[in-house]
Amino acid sequence: MTTDPTKIRPGDVASSNAKAGEGSLPDPAPSSAASIADFVAKVRAMAPNAVGARGRLIFALDATMSRQPTWDMACGLQADMFREAASLGSLDIRLIYYRGFNECRATRWISDSGELARLMTKIDCRGGNTQIGKVLSEARRDATASGVRALVFVGDAMEESVDELCTKAGELGILKVPIFMFQEGTDAGVEQAFREIARLSGGAWCRFDPGAAAQLRELLRAAAAYAAGGREALMRLSARQPSAAHLLEQMK
């Protein structure tokens, strides 16, 4: 069975990702009150931090042209997330990325760092606008279908309606899926949007300098610690890692 990237029809993400390494994500649809209530009921019936359960982390990346240097860096650093999680339990990661003209793709759940690295090295960055809304919508679907402990997003831009993104972030917050928004660069407008998305989800925002591998490594390790071991694991890591402490201070 191949795990190489394959393109699938919009709307087939949930069923097709079990058969392929990657699939296109459909355009996000607005949430109705009934669908939100049904979603909340399903997630509350889950046991997200059950003893022995595998942690699940969505790792989302902006793969537009400006992201090429950090994409290459992330390919080398993602193994650290697995190593950090391994010391606490176990972790499955689902990679979501967007690039080019209306292209947003997702892999199946991956439990091996080598497999994730192989998939990432096959992806090149392409010019295009941000599609953060699709990422948040897919995280919501995953939380309903299989449970998600955290969403990590790495990017440097935001070209969508901030109000719509904040609505989706708030829904994830109700469902106890914190978003860790990691911003490359110093754009003030992006920072304001990313901070609000993180706040509404119960997550955290942090900036890292362009090309700063050490900073991004610490942030990814902290997010993995939370996904694998919850708040207590992040608290333990914060005693020896400043980035983890900074994230923990923001999480309410």
Side-chain angles (χ1 to χ4, degrees):
M1 180 183 298
T2 180
T3 56
D4 291 337
T6 57
K7 193 167 186 177
I8 59 176
R9 297 187 303 276
D12 288 347
V13 176
S15 60
S16 296
N17 278 340
K19 301 178 182 179
E22 179 179 306
S24 300
L25 298 188
D27 292 327
S31 302
S32 67
S35 65
I36 292 174
D38 180 60
F39 176 48
V40 172
K42 288 180 180 177
V43 174
R44 284 177 176 170
M46 297 177 183
N49 289 306
V51 176
R54 297 184 64 87
R56 285 198 158 183
L57 170 71
I58 293 176
F59 183 30
L61 293 169
D62 178 333
T64 56
M65 197 61 72
S66 64
R67 305 294 307 128
Q68 184 66 59
T70 303
W71 182 274
D72 291 343
M73 185 169 65
C75 288
L77 298 179
Q78 50 80 24
D80 286 338
M81 291 192 293
F82 282 100
R83 282 193 287 269
E84 185 64 40
S87 67
L88 301 165
S90 56
L91 183 67
D92 292 332
I93 291 180
R94 189 179 190 205
L95 172 67
I96 299 179
Y97 69 92
Y98 56 78
R99 63 181 183 178
F101 177 68
N102 204 34
E103 180 184 359
C104 188
R105 295 173 176 266
T107 68
R108 62 178 179 79
W109 289 104
I110 298 170
S111 58
D112 176 70
S113 62
E115 183 180 354
L116 181 60
R118 184 183 64 79
L119 288 172
M120 290 181 69
T121 55
K122 290 187 174 183
I123 300 165
D124 62 319
C125 294
R126 300 175 185 174
N129 293 327
T130 66
Q131 301 177 61
I132 302 171
K134 289 184 180 180
V135 171
L136 301 185
S137 293
E138 185 65 8
R140 181 181 183 276
R141 282 188 287 270
D142 277 341
T144 302
S146 56
V148 177
R149 291 189 182 174
L151 163 63
V152 169
F153 176 81
V154 182
D156 65 347
M158 197 289 294
E159 298 156 330
E160 301 159 69
S161 166
V162 67
D163 289 333
E164 291 180 6
L165 296 182
C166 285
T167 297
K168 296 178 185 295
E171 292 173 3
L172 288 170
I174 291 172
L175 300 161
K176 307 300 182 184
V177 180
I179 306 172
F180 295 93
M181 299 293 291
F182 298 151
Q183 178 189 354
E184 181 183 29
T186 59
D187 187 292
V190 173
E191 176 181 338
Q192 183 178 23
F194 281 17
R195 279 183 177 274
E196 190 65 3
I197 289 169
R199 184 188 69 81
L200 288 168
S201 72
W205 165 92
C206 196
R207 177 191 292 119
F208 66 96
D209 298 324
Q215 289 178 325
L216 184 57
R217 178 184 290 109
E218 284 198 0
L219 293 172
L220 295 180
R221 288 182 62 195
Y226 180 87
R231 191 180 184 87
E232 290 185 3
L234 188 58
M235 289 178 64
R236 289 193 296 271
L237 185 61
S238 69
R240 54 187 171 86
Q241 184 173 298
S243 293
H246 179 62
L247 298 180
L248 188 61
E249 288 174 1
Q250 299 180 59
M251 299 179 72
K252 304 297 184 182

